Amino acid sequence: MLIAFACLAALVVCCGLAYWQWQRFESASGTFQNLGYVLQWPLFGLFPLFMVWRFRRLARQNRDGALSAPEPVAPGPRPVTTVDAVTPAPVEHFDDEEDAELAAYNRMLADLNARDGR
């Protein structure tokens, strides 16, 4: 009985809030956001009732044995996966100006890393 009263109270309060948002929507400062709330508040009010219905339905299914635990299945042998060793690709050297800049930048980063590691 207490749950039914709480669900009814939630529905009444949320419908009141929806009416309030409708009044705000119709006012001069109303926006479409207020209209969205008009549609949203009744759903919030119906949610506790839906949850009570859902919990009772799940409890009834559990009593009837519909949600009984499945039989455990013994795991079969696991397949073995092997990974070949990866060989690094050869480093190619280019004489482009951009690569020279990149090499200088990498040297600078290595120098900064060496200083930071001290």
Side-chain angles (χ1 to χ4, degrees):
M1 184 66 181
L2 182 62
I3 292 175
F5 178 73
C7 289
L8 182 64
L11 183 60
V12 167
V13 167
C14 289
C15 285
L17 289 169
Y19 178 74
W20 170 64
Q21 287 294 331
W22 180 256
Q23 296 299 321
R24 293 277 300 153
F25 173 68
E26 287 184 332
S27 72
S29 64
T31 64
F32 283 106
Q33 184 176 8
N34 297 114
L35 182 61
Y37 288 138
V38 167
L39 302 173
Q40 201 174 24
W41 277 116
L43 294 176
F44 288 156
L46 290 172
F47 185 73
L49 180 65
F50 168 74
M51 291 307 297
V52 168
W53 171 78
R54 179 77 173 145
F55 287 149
R56 288 188 178 173
R57 182 173 155 221
L58 288 173
R60 184 175 54 244
Q61 285 178 352
N62 198 17
R63 273 194 315 269
D64 296 343
L67 293 178
S68 61
E71 293 291 324
V73 177
R78 295 179 136 189
V80 177
T81 304
T82 59
V83 178
D84 295 333
V86 178
T87 57
V91 178
E92 297 179 18
H93 296 284
F94 296 102
D95 292 330
D96 293 342
E97 181 179 317
E98 181 179 328
D99 290 327
E101 282 184 38
L102 181 62
Y105 180 71
N106 285 335
R107 282 192 300 273
M108 181 196 68
L109 289 178
D111 184 44
L112 288 174
N113 188 30
R115 286 186 207 169
D116 191 39
R118 291 182 197 165

